[in-house]
């Protein structure tokens, strides 16, 4: 056995690990101490392109009162609150968070969905303009790889809720030109495209006739179809129509949350794999753990009542201290191990080629698990996967290779249609 020199720390360990296929010189991460494994995970995160399918920074900026006319949130520096900024992304090894252009379902009734989408796209672009040494827009896997080599964080964009298409297929072409590379067909309620997993109305019984045209046109243009948020019937309609692989940009396994239609059941995951698609695991506590999900509503109700009785806001020091202790005592957060369980389940069902990262950072509030509270903490998940026997190649597939395969297949199909 070759001895491993520790003079340069885990840089050398990383090199050895990359050669684990050589049975004469294996380095087995499962045999390392937790500290050693975490250092190896950090090396992997820093040296591997890492794509996250869903980060809600643009809407976080909007809710925070930042506009195109006013000062924009400075995420080039460490920020108070939120889950994403440049320093923490660099610490965690995140290279390409898909910026969610999120359209609340209320805009389907009030109008203005396209206008809102435009404003959030411009806000995202402004990050790259304001700090060009740190951020860059990305419209393809090639862009992300180029930006990675230059040390920049890429800002690809996906639209969450196809309501911004309104009733005009030409808007798909418009948003493709604006840089949108996936569209989550619905959100919290049924829309003109199809039925939502959160809505019980079942307006169309799946995709509408218009929605079927939307899916075909997305295929033709080169926009990935995102099956997160849609009802089961809508999902199967998409599977019957799409000519290219699809993604679930921020969904988890329903195996761990029975009855929660927002997640995907085993049969859906199998069908997604047959389509050569990818499910990108959501980190939110209510997505990954049934017990937490059930207790969370009770805890939230108690906290709301406690705040009202005392006239406090959540940001008051006394309230923050009380809430933190009450949550810890009455509904402890799931841990990074539960997130890893979802990866294990998908891999057991359909193999390593159909799973990725879809954190929903800045979108799931204070429900994130212990060990995955912000974008600096991806190495904790990688370390847990290494402890379970995942290889360097497995980690690379999870971090970017799987979603790049889908994205390039969508690009190639569209190129053939142009």
């Amino acid at each position: 056995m070759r001895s491993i020199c520790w003079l340069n720390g885990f840089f050398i360990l990383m090199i050895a690990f990359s050669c684990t296929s050589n049975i004469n010189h294996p380095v087995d991460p499962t045999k390392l101490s937790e500290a050693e494994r975490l250092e190896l995970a950090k090396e992997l995160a820093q040296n591997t392109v890492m794509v996250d399918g869903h980060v809600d920074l643009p809407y976080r900026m909007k809710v925070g009162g930042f506009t195109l006319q006013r000062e924009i949130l400075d995420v080039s520096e460490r920020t108070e609150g939120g889950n994403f900024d440049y320093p923490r992304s660099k610490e965690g090894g995140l290279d390409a968070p898909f910026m969610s252009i999120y359209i609340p379902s209320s805009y389907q009734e009030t109008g203005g969905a396209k206008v809102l989408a435009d404003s959030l796209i411009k806000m995202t672009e402004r990050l790259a303009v304001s700090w060009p040494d740190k951020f860059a827009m990305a419209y393809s896997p090639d862009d992300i790889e180029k930006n990675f080599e230059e040390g920049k964080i890429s800002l690809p964009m996906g639209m969450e809720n196809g309501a911004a298409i309104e009733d005009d297929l030409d808007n798909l072409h418009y948003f493709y030109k604006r840089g949108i590379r996936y569209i989550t067909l619905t959100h919290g309620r049924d829309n003109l495209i199809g039925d939502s997993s959160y809505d019980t109305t079942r307006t169309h019984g799946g995709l509408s006739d218009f929605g079927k045209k939307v899916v075909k046109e997305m295929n033709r243009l080169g926009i990935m179809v995102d099956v997160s948020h849609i009802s089961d019937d809508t999902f199967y309609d998409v599977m019957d129509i799409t000519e290219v692989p699809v993604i679930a940009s921020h969904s988890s396994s329903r195996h761990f949350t029975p009855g929660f239609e927002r997640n995907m059941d085993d049969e859906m995951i199998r069908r997604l794999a047959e389509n050569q698609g990818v499910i990108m695991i959501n980190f939110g506590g209510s997505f990954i753990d049934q017990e937490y999900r059930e207790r969370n509503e009770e805890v939230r109700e108690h906290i709301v009542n406690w705040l009202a009785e005392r006239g406090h806001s959540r940001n008051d020091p006394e309230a923050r201290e009380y809430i933190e202790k009450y949550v810890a005592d009455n509904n402890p957060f799931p841990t990074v191990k539960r997130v890893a369980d979802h990866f294990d389940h998908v891999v057991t069902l359909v193999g390593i080629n159909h799973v990725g990262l879809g954190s929903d950072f800045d979108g799931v509030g204070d429900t994130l698990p212990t060990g995955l509270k912000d974008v600096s903490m991806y190495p904790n998940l990688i370390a847990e996967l290494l402890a379970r026997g995942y290889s360097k190649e497995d980690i690379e597939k999870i971090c970017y290779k799987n979603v790049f395969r889908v994205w390039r297949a969508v690009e190639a199909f569209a190129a053939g249609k142009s």
Side-chain angles (χ1 to χ4, degrees):
M1 296 287 288
R2 179 178 62 185
S3 63
I4 299 177
C5 174
W6 293 89
L7 180 62
N8 293 317
F10 273 81
F11 175 72
I12 292 176
L13 180 58
M14 176 69 185
I15 294 174
F17 180 55
S18 70
C19 300
T20 55
S21 60
N22 183 344
I23 61 171
N24 295 318
H25 307 294
V27 173
D28 184 354
T30 66
K31 304 300 184 185
L32 299 174
S33 70
E34 287 187 11
E36 291 168 341
R37 194 159 44 241
L38 181 57
E39 288 304 311
L40 177 55
K42 289 177 179 177
E43 290 283 357
L44 275 170
Q46 294 300 322
N47 290 281
T48 301
V49 175
M50 187 186 296
V51 179
D52 190 310
H54 196 90
V55 173
D56 272 296
L57 176 66
Y59 203 75
R60 173 185 159 202
M61 291 192 288
K62 173 181 167 53
V63 170
F66 300 95
T67 69
L68 295 174
Q69 289 73 40
R70 297 175 53 196
E71 179 185 4
I72 199 164
L73 178 64
D74 186 357
V75 290
S76 72
E77 303 294 338
R78 197 174 300 270
T79 60
E80 281 291 326
N83 310 128
F84 172 88
D85 53 45
Y86 180 84
R88 286 183 286 176
S89 292
K90 280 297 186 180
E91 290 168 14
L94 176 62
D95 303 295
F98 263 93
M99 295 285 99
S100 172
I101 306 304
Y102 165 55
I103 311 300
S105 297
S106 59
Y107 282 78
Q108 295 165 196
E109 283 75 43
T110 64
K114 183 182 177 185
V115 172
L116 173 61
D118 255 331
S119 71
L120 295 176
I121 291 169
K122 290 174 183 175
M123 205 175 292
T124 302
E125 292 171 336
R126 188 170 167 187
L127 296 175
V129 171
S130 298
W131 300 287
D133 58 325
K134 296 180 177 179
F135 298 108
M137 302 306 295
Y139 309 110
S140 68
D142 290 347
D143 288 345
I144 292 173
E145 290 179 334
K146 176 178 179 292
N147 293 337
F148 176 76
E149 292 300 322
E150 295 175 358
K152 297 177 183 179
I153 292 177
S154 293
L155 301 175
M157 294 183 292
M159 181 187 294
E160 186 177 25
N161 192 355
I165 300 167
E166 299 177 339
D167 60 354
D168 188 350
L169 286 178
D170 287 343
N171 283 332
L172 282 170
H173 183 261
Y174 173 81
F175 281 118
Y176 179 84
K177 298 294 284 186
R178 296 291 288 114
I180 295 297
R181 290 300 179 265
Y182 77 67
I183 295 176
T184 317
L185 299 180
T186 70
H187 193 256
R189 294 204 291 272
D190 300 350
N191 62 17
L192 295 179
I193 296 170
D195 295 345
S196 163
S197 63
Y198 284 136
D199 198 336
T200 59
T201 308
R202 300 303 190 245
T203 304
H204 311 288
L207 281 175
S208 67
D209 290 341
F210 176 69
K212 294 172 183 176
K213 294 176 182 177
V214 166
V215 170
K216 291 178 180 178
E217 185 67 0
M218 288 173 67
N219 286 177
R220 189 187 72 80
L221 289 170
I223 302 173
M224 289 182 284
V225 176
D226 178 16
V227 296
S228 294
H229 279 288
I230 62 179
S231 71
D232 290 5
D233 287 339
T234 307
F235 168 83
Y236 284 109
D237 282 349
V238 170
M239 291 297 98
D240 288 341
I241 291 170
T242 183
E243 297 184 74
V244 293
V246 306
I247 62 169
S249 71
H250 58 305
S251 296
S252 300
S253 169
R254 202 181 300 172
H255 173 81
F256 299 95
T257 57
F260 184 38
E261 191 174 357
R262 172 63 180 81
N263 278 341
M264 299 182 70
D265 70 20
D266 289 0
E267 187 55 40
M268 295 167 76
I269 294 170
R270 291 189 185 97
R271 184 69 181 272
L272 185 76
E274 291 173 6
N275 165 261
Q276 298 303 312
V278 177
I279 175 174
M280 308 177 81
I281 301 299
N282 190 313
F283 298 171
S286 296
F287 286 78
I288 62 172
D289 190 90
Q290 182 70 14
E291 184 177 354
Y292 176 83
R293 177 176 175 75
E294 291 171 354
R295 287 285 294 147
N296 196 43
E297 290 306 313
E298 298 173 23
V299 169
R300 282 179 179 275
E301 183 178 357
H302 171 84
I303 290 171
V304 168
N305 291 335
W306 186 91
L307 292 170
E309 290 168 3
R310 288 157 181 78
H312 287 323
S313 76
R314 282 180 173 270
N315 293 324
D316 293 338
E318 180 186 352
R320 287 170 126 178
E321 182 179 353
Y322 178 82
I323 291 170
E324 182 177 351
K325 185 176 188 309
Y326 186 84
V327 169
D329 291 344
N330 292 276
N331 194 27
F333 293 107
T335 72
V336 65
K337 292 181 182 294
R338 178 53 94 188
V339 179
D341 289 344
H342 284 255
F343 284 87
D344 280 352
H345 185 72
V346 174
V347 171
T348 299
L349 276 178
V350 297
I352 191 64
N353 295 327
H354 306 287
V355 66
L357 302 168
S359 65
D360 212 350
F361 279 137
D362 279 336
V364 288
D366 58 0
T367 72
L368 289 158
T370 301
L372 280 174
K373 295 295 188 184
D374 63 39
V375 294
S376 71
M377 299 186 182
Y378 294 99
N380 292 336
L381 175 58
I382 294 174
E384 179 62 28
L385 295 175
L386 291 174
R388 298 181 183 208
Y390 287 68
S391 69
K392 176 176 179 286
E393 177 68 17
D394 293 337
I395 301 300
E396 289 174 344
K397 287 183 176 183
I398 288 168
C399 285
Y400 78 101
K401 287 184 176 179
N402 288 341
V403 69
F404 273 16
R405 171 179 50 76
V406 172
W407 196 347
R408 286 190 162 121
V410 172
E411 287 181 325
F413 182 86
K417 293 294 183 179
S418 61

